[in-house]
Amino acid sequence: AAGVCSSLGSDTTLFMRPLALSAASNAAVWVRRLVCRSAATVAPPTQTTASAGMEVEYEAVIGIECHVQLLTRTKAFCSCPSEFGSQPNSNVCPVCLGHPGTLPVLNAAMVTLAVRAGLALGSEIARISKFDRKQYFYPDLPKGYQISQYDEPICTGGQLEVEVDGQLKSFGIIRAHLEEDAGKIVYAGADRLSGSDYSLVDFNRAGVPLLEIVSAPDMRSGHDAAAYGEELRRVLRTCGVTDGNMAEGSMRVDVNVSVRPRGSAVFGTRVEIKNMNSFSNMQRAIDFEIERQVSLLRAGRGSDIVQETRLWDEIKLVTNTMRKKEGLADYRYFPEPDLLPLNVSDEFIELVKASMPELPAAKRKRYLSLGLTRGDVAVLTDETATSQLFDAVLALGTPVKPAANWIQGDIMAYCKEAKIGMDALAITPAALAEMISLIENGTISGKIAKDILSDLLQGKGNKGVRVYIEKQGLLMISDEAAIGAMVDKVLEANHKQLQEFRAGKTKLQGYFEGQVMKESKGRVNPGLMKEILLRKLNGE
Amino acid sequence: MQAGLHNGLRSGSLRGLAFKAARCKHTAVSAAKSSVIRDIHDKITSKECTAVEVTQRYLDAISKTDPKICSFITVDADQALSQARAIDAQIATQGTEGIKVLSGVPLAIKDNICTQGTRTTAGSQILRDYVPTFDATAVSRLRAAGAVFLGKTNMDEFGMGSSTENSSYKATRNPWDPDRVPGGSSGGSAAAVAARECAAALGSDTGGSIRQPAHFCGIVGLKPTYGRVSRYGLISYASSLDVIGPMAHTVEDAALLLNAIAGADAHDATSSGQPTVDFAAGLLPAASLQGGSRPLAGRRIGLVVETLGEGVAPEIDAAIRAAAEHLESLGAVVEEVSMLTFSLGLPAYYVLALSEASSNLSRYDGVRYGVRTAGAADLPSMFCGSRGEGLGGEVKRRILMGTYALSAGYYDAYYKRAQQVRTLAQREMNFALASFDALLTPTAPSPAYR
């Protein structure tokens, strides 16, 4: 399994082949799960070259800037609803439209979420921070400036521990700061301004609160970067800071990539890449860019690497220079005079700390200590809804392994098929716990449970699983006399096969088991049945 | 304390000197000696006049006088009369019990203060058709108090100027002498009050724009402490300096207006949470001062030496010194005090105000409201065309200078430095106010000029 994935080298055309993924597969080999679960977790390409004389090995230096929309009810500086997907320009007001005479007023909830994020990342929370104006002209920026934080952000420092290929790596966080989002521009008839007859601007997004998280340049490959991005998303989703939906734009990433000879302490020329809408695209973009820069360096054309912004083209799978050379923008930052300095007290931080949920890293540790495999742990902690259901049934006394198996197996498969989150299932944790305990104590068979699972997941057993099963007449038959009678019936009806069996064709045991199972409509206790059948087959 | 000071000045010789200095040519203009607002209130509650009659009288005055004075950019007679009718209807159904002191009082509002449903231009062409969908907080509080809005007054464009000559609409004339400027940037409001086209008015002050035109037009103008009145709905010039304030015939009128508009506002994060008081409560009527009474006994007043002497017109200097003598006759101790940072105030103001203005005016880009240039082929042309056509020369100059002061490499030398100077000036001011109850200076170094 690992072999399949590591054979994907730096050849970019390979990325066009869809990887055969089987999320429903229960072959829980941890390496395969983590490495092959999505295209985003391909092993990093090696950089050594075959030709003699050019033996310089290069290493990549990668940093990530991540913008997440904060899960507040209203916008950063006005009381318009902050929600995705509304009719254009329906969540707007004079303030977020930058009308004359309007003023921003700080949304306290966004501060709470920023503090929560900072605590989750181990950052230092600034007791005093301030807002600044970042100034530039663009049609999606109503005031002609963005309210942001420049030199006194709310969070500094921190780190994110990520497991990459079984290795625990710690990627530094430099800072996280609050700012407001801009509107969205749609070009009519073309992808960009030139060539389109008109543009449409939707200001629903203008003023939505953002947290910008800047990592240290600690990643060394697209693989590192994707792992960082996924864990960051996991942490922030767990804390309710953001829903981290890259497709909807509530999580956006820009990366900075440079290369240098391995062992050098000097940074190479840094290139910024934008326009990656998924972690797998981000990984591909980074790997492509590393290769592009290394090739230029090897060819002696290192000066062709310039500090610029490039866009990832997800069709052609290349990075391209942004057509307009922006030069170094001067944003003319100065402190926002319409807002007071942001004071965060020790008491407030303690309050937020007390309301923090269990972070993914802690949860993984806890699950490992329960005796689960790394593979199980990875699946169960990937989404909050999954671990919530798991913890809920554990709390009701369900044994660990069966709970883990049912949830990451049939239940997860059901969710995937129905395209719903695990928190959208109608089944209560109590019902699931009951179902599992009924299997454990022999009231029903595992097979029957599988058959009725989708009904239970839709809530049909919520008033009592045992009651439901009884109504369906599906209780497991464990009464030896009843089983004996069934076996006798089957043996009588299959006289010929019985003779053959007694003559030596022992393979027919499976046939008889199938017949008894059929006779009992799947309800017979398999273990007991086997035992009794064998006895009777052998004439006892 | 401040109220007593003002009344002391009013009853003294300063007014007479200012009158002579202006060489009044308009005998129709006369200064009120008692509260115009209270007078109107009495007439309405005693039913001597209806609110509609009061408003109509002012509308007639505007029709007659404003072609010469040009105080108003927009007159909204329909709205004014409709507001007045509502007051009369209230009196008819509920009697005069609930009639507040400002009910039915016709006011003029400076055109950089947003009035819902009434065009608001800030004196600029770029907003020539802009109609706000909301009231400034000061306006909504006045509306709730029953005030009547006659219209929007002329001003230097976006508050940038001190003569109202920078208005992109018209020049306002000083009612005392039409060859002279009314001052600025609240020149329209000042002239409207002085010419009796309104009972009182709202203005705004960033670097003197209420005080100086009040001085030029011989009326009372109060610049409240920053944060005392909400800035929400005031079209920003310099965010850390702008305030809205009253302009009126008497100190009492100014106090009554301030009562209505002052106080914290959830829409303005910079508005102060300090509790307000009844600003009209401590006022001593000038007429009540018996000969020899010393209401200012125990008070100390500082005469700022840097504001007198060289560069100040002799009649102004004389008027201030006479005022100081008058205050002493009322019992105050008047001493000279030196403010070393005084001369630094203006340069610091220019750097800070222009820097903030360059940013505050970025929103006028033709995208969402206001004038948009026709036929632009790309974004830079659209931005430059709209702002080029819509903004006046002085505004452009100040935006350019402000942008320069904030730009990379210059921020420390200009903006940051100016903030540091500001802090020094504040410290010195506070230090002086620790030993004086008030500081006395002229409002401007000269009377209204041509």
Side-chain angles (χ1 to χ4, degrees):
Chain A
V4 170
C5 293
S6 65
S7 70
L8 290 164
S10 58
D11 182 347
T12 55
T13 60
L14 280 171
F15 290 123
M16 295 191 71
R17 262 186 241 149
L19 292 170
L21 304 171
S22 169
S25 160
N26 271 334
V29 177
W30 172 73
V31 168
R32 181 177 181 197
R33 271 207 189 280
L34 262 187
V35 173
C36 286
R37 188 152 42 86
S38 72
T41 54
V42 171
T46 52
Q47 300 298 339
T48 50
T49 174
S51 81
M54 294 178 66
E55 283 175 41
V56 184
E57 258 198 50
Y58 287 95
E59 71 169 355
V61 175
I62 299 153
I64 298 180
E65 281 167 22
C66 181
H67 290 83
V68 291
Q69 289 180 341
L70 297 174
L71 278 172
T72 57
R73 198 178 48 84
T74 57
K75 291 187 178 182
F77 301 113
C78 68
S79 34
C80 287
S82 174
E83 55 189 35
F84 179 81
S86 307
Q87 281 292 302
N89 293 313
S90 60
N91 295 331
V92 294
C93 74
V95 177
C96 55
L97 286 174
H99 272 239
T102 56
L103 297 170
V105 178
L106 181 62
N107 181 343
M110 76 193 258
V111 179
T112 306
L113 293 180
V115 172
R116 219 186 268 175
L119 290 172
L121 296 172
S123 308
E124 181 63 40
I125 311 291
R127 299 302 189 267
I128 304 177
S129 64
K130 66 168 172 51
F131 291 96
D132 300 283
R133 292 188 183 178
K134 178 181 182 180
Q135 310 194 73
Y136 61 96
F137 286 93
Y138 210 60
D140 64 3
L141 195 65
K143 298 185 290 295
Y145 56 86
Q146 176 197 36
I147 300 178
S148 177
Q149 293 188 299
Y150 179 52
D151 55 344
E152 292 178 37
I154 185 164
C155 301
T156 37
Q159 64 287 319
L160 193 62
E161 287 199 348
V162 189
E163 256 187 67
V164 187
D165 290 336
Q167 198 191 343
L168 196 65
K169 296 189 183 179
S170 179
F171 299 125
I173 306 276
I174 293 180
R175 55 179 273 163
H177 71 258
L178 288 165
E179 58 184 27
E180 56 176 346
D181 211 343
K184 218 178 340 187
I185 300 183
V186 175
Y187 299 110
D191 274 338
R192 42 194 72 236
L193 179 62
S194 62
S196 62
D197 292 326
Y198 56 90
S199 318
L200 302 172
V201 193
D202 176 12
F203 292 102
N204 282 350
R205 204 183 65 176
V208 165
L210 298 177
L211 189 68
E212 178 178 336
I213 302 162
V214 182
S215 82
D218 288 348
M219 295 94 187
R220 294 287 171 265
S221 65
H223 193 31
D224 279 353
Y228 167 88
E230 284 166 358
E231 180 67 3
L232 182 63
R233 178 179 180 272
R234 204 170 287 129
V235 168
L236 296 177
R237 275 173 60 88
T238 301
C239 293
V241 167
T242 182
D243 65 14
N245 189 325
M246 285 183 86
E248 287 182 354
S250 64
M251 182 169 200
R252 315 197 280 259
V253 291
D254 301 326
V255 299
N256 291 298
V257 181
S258 67
V259 299
R260 64 185 177 189
R262 199 178 288 278
S264 163
V266 177
F267 289 121
T269 305
R270 193 181 65 186
V271 171
E272 184 187 26
I273 309 175
K274 290 173 113 70
N275 199 43
M276 300 152 292
N277 61 6
S278 68
F279 292 126
S280 50
N281 266 317
M282 182 179 82
Q283 181 168 347
R284 291 188 196 110
I286 290 170
D287 290 338
F288 172 86
E289 182 59 24
I290 293 170
E291 189 55 39
R292 184 187 79 91
Q293 294 188 17
V294 168
S295 302
L296 285 172
L297 284 167
R298 292 203 196 287
R301 291 169 53 200
S303 56
D304 282 2
I305 306 172
V306 296
Q307 186 170 337
E308 60 170 343
T309 301
R310 297 174 72 87
L311 297 176
W312 172 245
D313 183 331
E314 63 172 342
I315 313 288
K316 297 194 181 129
L317 300 175
V318 296
T319 62
N320 291 308
T321 310
M322 274 179 74
R323 237 164 264 156
K324 297 223 164 87
K325 268 262 151 131
E326 292 179 335
L328 274 170
D330 177 8
Y331 293 115
R332 298 192 305 285
Y333 286 100
F334 77 103
E336 169 59 79
D338 289 332
L339 292 172
L340 303 176
L342 179 54
N343 294 329
V344 175
S345 69
D346 292 341
E347 291 77 37
F348 180 77
I349 294 174
E350 286 310 307
L351 240 122
V352 176
K353 215 180 256 186
S355 74
M356 292 281 284
E358 185 186 37
L359 296 176
K363 196 176 301 245
R364 288 192 290 261
K365 217 169 159 183
R366 177 164 65 88
Y367 285 4
L368 280 173
S369 74
L370 291 173
L372 291 164
T373 68
R374 302 196 95 96
D376 291 343
V377 170
V379 175
L380 289 170
T381 59
D382 190 40
E383 291 283 332
T384 310
T386 313
S387 61
Q388 265 172 0
L389 182 59
F390 181 66
D391 282 332
V393 294
L394 285 192
L396 293 168
T398 307
V400 170
K401 249 312 177 178
N405 287 340
W406 277 104
I407 287 175
Q408 60 183 315
D410 291 85
I411 297 179
M412 200 168 263
Y414 176 91
C415 289
K416 204 170 188 128
E417 178 80 40
K419 290 191 172 58
I420 56 171
M422 211 164 275
D423 47 352
L425 291 173
I427 190 172
T428 60
L432 180 56
E434 191 191 350
M435 180 195 93
I436 297 174
S437 82
L438 289 174
I439 300 169
E440 296 292 302
N441 69 20
T443 310
I444 54 167
S445 66
K447 181 186 183 313
I448 294 290
K450 270 191 201 272
D451 289 343
I452 61 167
L453 182 66
S454 79
D455 282 347
L456 293 183
L457 291 179
Q458 288 167 59
K460 294 187 181 158
N462 282 352
K463 292 214 179 95
V465 177
R466 195 202 166 89
V467 169
Y468 176 80
I469 288 172
E470 278 172 349
K471 269 210 197 117
Q472 305 283 316
L474 295 173
L475 287 179
M476 186 153 73
I477 302 166
S478 295
D479 174 50
E480 294 202 20
I483 297 177
M486 267 189 264
V487 171
D488 288 339
K489 194 168 171 198
V490 164
L491 292 186
E492 258 192 56
N494 294 277
H495 196 71
K496 178 163 166 278
Q497 290 85 340
L498 180 57
Q499 302 288 37
E500 286 174 12
F501 179 86
R502 286 186 175 153
K505 209 168 177 187
T506 52
K507 254 204 283 192
L508 283 171
Q509 179 177 352
Y511 169 76
F512 283 111
E513 282 172 7
Q515 289 300 305
V516 177
M517 196 52 90
K518 207 164 119 188
E519 175 69 25
S520 74
K521 294 190 179 57
R523 289 171 56 202
V524 73
N525 181 324
L528 270 179
M529 180 264 284
K530 249 182 146 137
E531 202 189 311
I532 292 169
L533 174 64
L534 207 54
R535 270 194 273 128
K536 290 194 182 271
L537 281 174
N538 290 325
E540 292 154 30
Chain B
M1 172 57 215
Q2 283 170 333
L5 174 70
H6 279 288
N7 265 322
L9 277 169
R10 282 200 21 81
S11 68
S13 51
L14 173 64
R15 173 153 293 285
L17 279 172
F19 188 98
K20 281 182 198 144
R23 292 198 297 277
C24 173
K25 289 181 185 169
H26 266 271
T27 53
V29 181
S30 61
K33 292 224 166 21
S34 62
S35 168
V36 171
I37 292 175
R38 287 217 189 274
D39 184 53
I40 291 172
H41 178 70
D42 291 340
K43 288 196 162 78
I44 290 178
T45 50
S46 70
K47 303 195 186 174
E48 184 186 327
C49 299
T50 63
V52 168
E53 281 169 347
V54 172
T55 293
Q56 190 60 57
R57 217 170 285 173
Y58 277 106
L59 288 170
D60 293 342
I62 293 171
S63 303
K64 182 167 168 234
T65 313
D66 215 53
K68 286 169 277 190
I69 305 294
C70 305
S71 305
F72 284 85
I73 293 179
T74 302
V75 177
D76 195 342
D78 289 341
Q79 190 198 185
L81 288 168
S82 138
Q83 289 172 309
R85 274 192 293 271
I87 300 296
D88 286 335
Q90 187 188 337
I91 293 175
T93 54
Q94 298 165 36
T96 57
E97 275 305 303
I99 296 297
K100 294 170 239 188
V101 70
L102 284 170
S103 295
V105 174
L107 304 174
I109 308 290
K110 184 177 181 182
D111 210 15
N112 61 355
I113 300 172
C114 288
T115 44
Q116 183 176 9
T118 303
R119 179 175 74 149
T120 300
T121 70
S124 178
Q125 288 305 305
I126 209 163
L127 292 177
R128 65 171 166 255
D129 296 316
Y130 178 70
V131 179
T133 56
F134 64 100
D135 274 335
T137 298
V139 168
S140 69
R141 288 178 180 178
L142 287 171
R143 219 186 271 276
V148 168
F149 301 129
L150 296 164
K152 310 301 293 298
T153 56
N154 199 19
M155 53 180 286
D156 287 296
E157 189 176 357
F158 286 109
M160 300 178 178
S162 46
S163 64
T164 308
E165 291 168 308
N166 286 338
S167 165
S168 74
Y169 291 91
K170 52 183 102 175
T172 300
R173 298 178 185 285
N174 192 318
W176 296 86
D177 177 351
D179 293 335
R180 293 178 194 261
V181 298
S185 60
S186 311
S189 282
V193 172
R196 293 188 160 268
E197 290 175 330
C198 59
L202 283 188
S204 77
D205 192 310
T206 302
S209 292
I210 286 177
R211 295 162 281 171
Q212 184 252 39
H215 157 68
F216 277 16
C217 290
I219 63 165
V220 173
L222 174 67
K223 178 209 167 296
T225 304
Y226 181 86
R228 176 54 85 193
V229 180
S230 168
R231 286 189 297 123
Y232 184 72
L234 171 64
I235 297 179
S236 281
Y237 164 15
S239 313
S240 71
L241 295 160
D242 292 343
V243 295
I244 293 176
M247 305 181 76
H249 285 283
T250 68
V251 171
E252 187 174 11
D253 287 327
L256 291 170
L257 274 182
L258 187 61
N259 277 351
I261 61 177
D265 180 20
H267 287 112
D268 177 359
T270 62
S271 69
S272 171
Q274 294 250 30
T276 55
V277 297
D278 178 354
F279 297 102
L283 296 178
L284 282 176
S288 75
L289 291 176
Q290 308 289 359
S293 76
R294 297 164 66 81
L296 298 180
R299 299 298 191 177
R300 290 172 47 80
I301 296 180
L303 198 51
V304 181
V305 299
E306 284 82 5
T307 65
L308 296 168
E310 194 175 321
V312 181
E315 59 264 49
I316 300 280
D317 194 294
I320 293 296
R321 295 205 188 269
E325 275 176 34
H326 178 70
L327 292 169
E328 280 175 324
S329 78
L330 293 174
V333 168
V334 181
E335 272 177 27
E336 287 192 348
V337 62
S338 176
M339 307 266 301
L340 298 172
T341 56
F342 184 80
S343 62
L344 297 174
L346 192 60
Y349 161 81
Y350 266 115
V351 172
L352 295 171
L354 272 52
S355 298
E356 291 176 10
S358 73
S359 176
N360 287 327
L361 269 63
S362 292
R363 63 191 64 199
Y364 305 109
D365 56 10
V367 174
R368 288 144 288 115
Y369 52 79
V371 154
R372 186 196 291 186
T373 190
D378 55 34
L379 271 179
S381 307
M382 191 198 85
F383 287 143
C384 294
S386 303
R387 289 162 71 79
E389 290 160 24
L391 299 174
E394 182 62 23
V395 171
K396 285 178 187 155
R397 271 191 289 280
R398 295 195 189 197
I399 290 174
L400 286 170
M401 289 198 281
T403 306
Y404 177 80
L406 288 177
S407 56
Y410 296 102
Y411 173 86
D412 283 356
Y414 292 111
Y415 189 85
K416 189 170 167 187
R417 188 106 169 151
Q419 289 283 37
Q420 290 165 333
V421 168
R422 176 189 202 153
T423 303
L424 287 176
Q426 284 172 336
R427 280 195 198 147
E428 190 173 40
M429 186 75 69
N430 287 330
F431 185 74
L433 286 170
S435 21
F436 293 99
D437 294 290
L439 300 173
L440 177 61
T441 79
T443 304
S446 77
Y449 49 80
R450 290 201 168 77

